[in-house]
Each structure stands twice: as structure tokens, then as C-alpha cells.
Amino acid sequence: MKKLFSNLLFKVFVAIVLGIIFGLYLPESINRIFATFNAFFGQFLNFAIPLIILGLIMPSISDLGKGAGKLLLITAAIAYGSTIFSGFMSYFTSSTIFPSLLSSHINESTEITESGRDLEPYFSITIPAVIDVMSALVLAFVIGLGLSYQEDSALKKVVKNFETIIMQLIENVIVPLLPLFILGIFANMAFSGQVYSILSVFLNIIGVIFAMHIFLLILQYVITGAIVKKNPIKLLITMMPAYFTALGTQSSAATIPVTLEQAEKNGVSPKIAGFVIPLCATIHLSGSIMKITACAMALMILEEVPFDFGMFAGFIFMLGIAMVAAPGVPGGAIMAAIGVLQSILGFNEEMIGLMIALYIAMDSFGTACNVTGDGAIALVVDRITKEESREVE
């Protein structure tokens, strides 16, 4: 029971239910308290996002220099390629399905927006960011890449300490307060009469994304099976313990021991598995980028925000790098992605809140997709290294 109450997905579910009840049945004066908290927390998030980008991306990129070699480059290239492919697959699928699927909800949202019945906070505090999001991204890449070529640097130690501070901020402040933030968002939507439309949208979006992530896993193993000349179905079935473990842990890092064991059962050498699986747990996020891309497009369609392929292409390429910094906690990838959502797609506070709720609702499936894909990458890297060994001989 204690484990259930500490689960972030359970907390978000309770927050959504309570938010709907509060918005429908509590007086406006009470609901405005939650609106006031959301106004403050939204400002704090805007302040924290550039710091999160700096604190997570700088050390992640600088660490790539450790033991950098051909194996690292091959693994990183395959993992990033898989992540980007998943993002574009999500874009083309979503842009085909969502406009017609969500068309009726666009009209409903327009009518609700025009009614103007919204909760106002009692007061608001402006917390300016120390640095804007795009500057933080560029600075993180410049410093991270510079540090990756330095073996012993005092600045690298400072960056590592800063990473620890940011991880503590996420784990001890932001993530625990997210359910209350989501409660406030749903209280506002229930108060304005928008909540039933949003919930039906959630179900539609989650159904499409679940189908996409199953298709992606099958496709990954069909391609891998062709490369390693093994039965893809057997390979995928062998990885199922890792898949179901990730459903429970919601963490790629926590699932590493199981993923390692199953990858070796698929015939990956212990040496390659021991290198590729832990690395991919950090840099391979095909399931996560699929969810974020699809959810972002769905919300932009609902809000009638214009978008095109060029905008989403830049978003996907940048997101594939930014999420390398995702910490090993539930909801970590979406926290790393908020800056890119704001800077490239122009998301506001309410859209960010809905993104977080949607992402966490599917966090287990995305993580399971990530770690199962790690097994496919390990098979391909193992095959490549064996081919190179034969050529040398």
C-alpha cells in the first residue's frame, strides 16, 4: 500500500480526480487558492527550466568523452538514429490521424475559451529566469562538448556538483509538487466546463500512442532480426521480462540488470551487453520521444496553434539531444523536454501542465519501449563488432 501511495502515476491520477471534483463542487474562492499556487509554481518552473537544462545536459555531454572510441560512437549513433526515427514516425502518424480524430474537440475548446469563465489567482509573483531557454541549450552544448575533451578539469567537478543540485531540485521539489500543479489545472478546467472534453481527448491520444509504440517495437526487432539473421519474434519475446520490469519501475536505469540478462540470452556477448545496455539506458529514448511528439502535436491541434514539418523537425532533433539529460526518475524526460517545448513550439503554462499529465499517464509504456529497444541495439552493435573482428583476422 505504501508503495502505491508513493507511485507518481497514482498521485497524478488522484490529483486529476480531486481536481475535477474540486472544480465542479467547491466554491470559486477555494479553487482560486489552487490557481494562485499554479501561478507561482508556473513562474518557478520558468525560472528552473534553464537551470535544469544546464545542470543535466552539460555533464551528460561531457561524460561522452570518457573512454570515447569507435564502440561508443557506433552505439551513440544507432541510439540517436533510433530516437530520431521514432520522433519522425510519431510526427507523420500523428499528423495523419489527429486532425480528424480531434476535430470535434477543437470546436468544443473554442466555445469554452470564448465563454471566458476562468479562475483568477489571488496574487501572482514574477520570477525572471536567469538565462533564457535557447541560450541555456547552446551554453550547455558548448561547455559540455568542451569538457568532453578534458580528462581532469576543475570545471567538470563544478558541473557534476551542479548536476547533483539540479537532481535534488527535481526529485525533492518539482516532482513532488507536480500532482498539486496538475490538480490545479484540472480544477480550472472543471470549473470552466472543459474537463470532459480534455479527458476524452486523453483517451484518444493514449490509445494511438500505445498502438504506435507496439508497432515500433515490432519494427525494431524485424530490422534487427534481418541484420543478425535471427527470428525477430523470438528475440522480442526474450526481452519481455525487461519490458514488464520497466512497466513497474518506470526507470530505464532500474531495469538495467534485467535488460542485461535478457540481452545476453539473445546471444549478445557479456562485454558488449555490459557496455551498450547501461549507455542506452541514458541515451536511447525512442519511446519517450514518440510520446512527447504525439502529445505536443495533439495539444497544438486542440489549441489551434499553427505548426509545420520544419518546426517539428527542429523540435525532434533538439529533443533527441536534450532528453539525453533525462534523469532516472519517473517523469524525468518530460522535465528535460519542457525547455524545448517552450522555445521551439511556444507552449504556455497550461499546455505544459497537460503535457506533464499526459506523459506521466504513459510513462511506464514509454520506458518499457526504451529498454526493450536497448536490447535490439545491443544485438546490432554485437553483430558489427563481430564482423569487424573477422575482417581484422
Side-chain angles (χ1 to χ4, degrees):
M1 186 63 71
K2 186 179 178 182
K3 189 176 181 181
L4 176 66
F5 282 103
S6 64
N7 183 275
L8 182 60
L9 177 58
F10 177 75
K11 290 179 182 178
V12 169
F13 174 75
V14 172
I16 291 172
V17 173
L18 289 178
I20 294 170
I21 293 171
F22 291 172
L24 290 175
Y25 300 110
L26 289 184
E28 182 176 349
S29 58
I30 301 295
N31 281 306
R32 285 182 66 189
I33 295 173
F34 297 111
T36 304
F37 169 79
N38 276 26
F40 173 77
F41 189 73
Q43 285 290 317
F44 180 72
L45 267 183
N46 289 335
F47 167 80
I49 292 309
L51 301 181
I52 290 173
I53 289 170
L54 289 170
L56 298 181
I57 293 181
M58 285 191 299
S60 295
I61 294 178
S62 69
D63 284 346
L64 293 178
K66 292 181 179 179
K70 200 169 184 180
L71 188 60
L72 172 64
L73 293 175
I74 290 170
T75 307
I78 295 172
Y80 183 70
S82 173
T83 300
I84 296 305
F85 173 82
S86 175
F88 280 106
M89 187 187 89
S90 181
Y91 169 83
F92 287 117
T93 305
S94 301
S95 61
T96 302
I97 296 173
F98 285 163
S100 57
L101 184 68
L102 304 176
S103 58
S104 61
H105 298 290
I106 295 172
N107 299 330
E108 291 172 11
S109 333
T110 305
E111 289 170 11
I112 291 160
T113 305
E114 288 171 354
S115 70
R117 189 171 181 259
D118 248 343
L119 290 170
E120 292 294 330
Y122 284 110
F123 63 89
S124 59
I125 300 172
T126 302
I127 310 175
V130 176
I131 183 174
D132 67 59
V133 169
M134 282 308 298
S135 297
L137 279 167
V138 174
L139 183 62
F141 294 150
V142 169
I143 293 177
L145 286 170
L147 290 176
S148 69
Y149 290 97
Q150 299 184 29
E151 288 297 322
D152 188 23
S153 168
L155 180 57
K156 185 174 282 191
K157 294 175 183 175
V158 173
V159 166
K160 281 291 183 184
N161 289 336
F162 185 55
E163 179 190 27
T164 302
I165 293 170
I166 294 302
M167 289 286 287
Q168 290 172 339
L169 175 69
I170 293 172
E171 292 180 16
N172 300 325
V173 180
I174 294 178
V175 171
L177 289 176
L178 281 178
L180 189 56
F181 182 55
I182 291 167
L183 186 153
I185 289 171
F186 276 84
N188 183 55
M189 288 191 298
F191 182 80
S192 66
Q194 194 180 4
V195 69
Y196 297 114
S197 172
I198 292 296
L199 288 177
S200 60
V201 167
F202 269 33
L203 292 175
N204 287 332
I205 294 171
I206 289 171
V208 171
I209 294 174
F210 180 74
M212 278 198 293
H213 111 267
I214 295 298
F215 175 78
L216 177 65
L217 283 177
I218 293 171
L219 181 62
Q220 284 177 336
Y221 276 86
V222 166
I223 294 171
T224 300
I227 293 171
V228 302
K229 296 179 174 58
K230 291 183 179 181
N231 186 324
I233 303 303
K234 287 183 178 178
L235 294 174
L236 184 54
I237 290 172
T238 303
M239 291 304 299
M240 283 298 100
Y243 179 92
F244 288 110
T245 302
L247 283 180
T249 63
Q250 295 180 292
S251 167
S252 297
T255 313
I256 285 174
V258 181
T259 314
L260 266 172
E261 184 180 351
Q262 299 311 120
E264 290 179 17
K265 285 181 180 178
N266 267 336
V268 180
S269 69
K271 181 181 177 181
I272 296 298
F275 176 83
V276 173
I277 297 300
L279 178 62
C280 284
T282 304
I283 66 174
H284 181 232
L285 295 144
S286 56
S288 299
I289 199 170
M290 172 185 288
K291 290 184 299 180
I292 293 174
T293 302
C295 292
M297 182 178 295
L299 290 176
M300 291 179 80
I301 290 171
L302 285 173
E303 296 288 331
E304 296 186 285
V305 177
F307 63 86
D308 55 32
F309 175 75
M311 176 190 288
F312 264 90
F315 170 74
I316 290 166
F317 281 116
M318 187 66 76
L319 187 61
I321 298 171
M323 286 197 310
V324 169
V329 295
I334 189 63
M335 294 310 304
I338 288 176
V340 189
L341 287 165
Q342 289 177 327
S343 60
I344 298 181
L345 301 186
F347 270 41
N348 58 30
E349 283 179 25
E350 183 179 356
M351 293 172 77
I352 290 294
L354 289 173
M355 276 292 299
I356 292 170
L358 262 173
Y359 184 90
I360 292 173
M362 297 176 286
D363 196 19
S364 296
F365 295 110
T367 304
C369 185
N370 292 340
V371 302
T372 309
D374 295 348
I377 292 174
L379 282 160
V380 173
V381 173
D382 187 61
R383 175 74 176 187
I384 291 171
T385 53
K386 284 177 180 175
E387 288 291 336
E388 289 181 349
S389 298
R390 289 194 194 102
E391 289 175 8
V392 170
E393 290 172 2

